[in-house]
Amino acid sequence: MKKISNKAYEAELARLQIELVKLQEWVKNTGHRVAIVFEGRDAAGKGGTIKRITEAMNPRICQVVALPAPTEREKSQWYFQRYVAHLPAAGEIIIFDRSWYNRAGVERVMGFCTDEEYKEFMRSCPEFERMLVRAGIQLIKYWFSVSDEEQERRFQKRLTDPTKQWKLSPMDLESRKRWVDYSKAKDDMFSHTDIKQAPWYVVNSDVKKHARLNCISHLLSLIPYEEIERSKVVLEDRPPQRGYVRPPIDDQTFVPEVHSKLV
């Protein structure tokens, strides 16, 4: 597959991010509610795509939810309860970096839930999502699909990159051994939860840049946003400052300018 050039990628990403800002303003002004679920294999590129979606957006409108492992108290709650608390209010976009689908994936494969808990999830999840849609929340679900060979290449790269070694958690390393188990779990999950009201959209993520652009373009196509006219901002001249004498600059403690030693 021919990969997009860096120049073309940066230009298209910049264009799409401008559209995302327009989308954000439309969501804010109309009170639309959007919940976006990102799921997929480890090292499939979900985090990078989420970062490109959110980096130009207002964090008060577009928020990322990445919940840690449940506490003992949360384990005793209704399974969906801790996720419900993070669902969008009017004028909000909530991105779930992993979601309630943990039960159908890692919990199922790693034995963190019982067979009955798993079966109940498969029964109740479609109804839960239909309920969200009936309540007026637009639910969008993405599955990032990466090949066995590409996932292994990315794992190997993380071994030598000090900034990415934290991504190789014990859970990641264990999941690497269970490729087939995760494939079966994903297929079973799709068979129960790929519903008309909230279908799964699969993103081919073997090429990260392609995956990011394809996902963002698709996301924009699903939401019927329009550009909101904004009042023109005018920066007026500052009024003259009178009667104020600043304290000596030497009274302040500055961060050392270590970069100057590198010139």
Side-chain angles (χ1 to χ4, degrees), residues 11-23:
E12 179 62 5
L13 179 61
R15 185 189 72 80
L16 291 174
Q17 288 180 331
I18 291 173
E19 293 302 312
L20 286 170
V21 172
K22 294 178 184 178
L23 166 66

Side-chain angles (χ1 to χ4, degrees), residues 32 40 47 81 102 123 127 143 148 172 186 193 201 206 243:
H32 197 59
Q81 188 167 336
N102 278 339
R123 286 192 294 265
E127 291 307 313
W143 176 270
D148 192 356
D172 294 329
K186 175 256 183 181
T193 64
Y201 297 106
D206 270 9

Side-chain angles (χ1 to χ4, degrees), residues 19-34 57-63 88-94 223-231:
E19 293 302 312
L20 286 170
V21 172
K22 294 178 184 178
L23 166 66
Q24 156 190 289
E25 293 303 309
W26 179 83
V27 166
K28 177 184 176 182
N29 278 269
T30 61
H32 197 59
R33 292 179 288 168
V34 186
M57 299 178 77
N58 185 342
R60 293 182 178 86
I61 299 174
C62 182
Q63 303 170 28
E92 291 182 349
I93 301 169
I94 302 297
I223 302 175
Y225 73 98
E226 299 175 353
E227 185 169 1
I228 302 296
E229 291 292 333
R230 303 186 66 180
S231 301

Side-chain angles (χ1 to χ4, degrees), residues 57-216:
M57 299 178 77
N58 185 342
R60 293 182 178 86
I61 299 174
C62 182
Q63 303 170 28
V64 178
V65 174
L67 298 183
T71 64
E72 289 303 315
R73 182 177 184 276
E74 288 172 332
K75 289 179 182 178
S76 70
Q77 295 174 342
W78 175 49
Y79 177 70
F80 296 97
Q81 188 167 336
R82 73 185 191 128
Y83 296 102
V84 168
H86 298 279
L87 289 171
E92 291 182 349
I93 301 169
I94 302 297
I95 296 176
F96 288 94
D97 185 358
R98 301 286 192 188
S99 66
W100 46 88
Y101 282 101
N102 278 339
R103 175 135 296 177
V106 63
E107 290 190 18
R108 172 63 170 169
V109 173
M110 302 302 294
F112 295 155
C113 66
T114 66
D115 286 345
E116 185 52 41
E117 287 172 333
Y118 170 74
K119 291 175 183 177
E120 177 56 33
F121 173 83
M122 290 300 205
R123 286 192 294 265
S124 60
C125 183
E127 291 307 313
F128 171 68
E129 293 183 351
R130 290 187 184 103
M131 181 173 63
L132 298 184
V133 173
R134 288 197 302 270
I137 295 175
Q138 183 172 4
L139 178 60
I140 301 169
K141 303 184 307 195
Y142 287 114
W143 176 270
F144 276 61
S145 178
V146 63
S147 66
D148 192 356
E149 297 77 17
E150 179 60 20
Q151 185 190 50
E152 178 63 18
R153 188 190 71 79
R154 293 176 187 177
F155 276 152
Q156 293 295 334
K157 186 176 180 180
R158 289 177 180 182
L159 288 174
T160 58
D161 188 340
T163 67
K164 294 183 178 180
Q165 287 178 2
W166 63 271
K167 295 184 177 182
L168 289 174
S169 67
M171 197 62 62
D172 294 329
L173 297 176
E174 186 61 31
S175 69
R176 179 171 169 266
K177 304 175 186 177
R178 306 194 184 200
W179 178 272
V180 174
D181 291 338
Y182 272 97
S183 294
K184 291 179 179 178
K186 175 256 183 181
D187 292 340
D188 289 343
M189 180 184 79
F190 268 43
S191 69
H192 287 82
T193 64
D194 188 17
I195 58 177
K196 181 177 68 173
Q197 296 85 349
W200 279 105
Y201 297 106
V202 179
V203 181
N204 182 344
S205 62
D206 270 9
V207 180
K208 288 183 179 180
K209 291 179 180 178
H210 295 188
R212 293 166 188 166
L213 298 180
N214 291 336
C215 183
I216 297 173

Side-chain angles (χ1 to χ4, degrees), residues 2-13:
K2 185 178 180 181
K3 296 183 180 180
I4 190 171
S5 68
N6 288 338
K7 182 178 181 180
Y9 167 74
E10 294 296 341
E12 179 62 5
L13 179 61

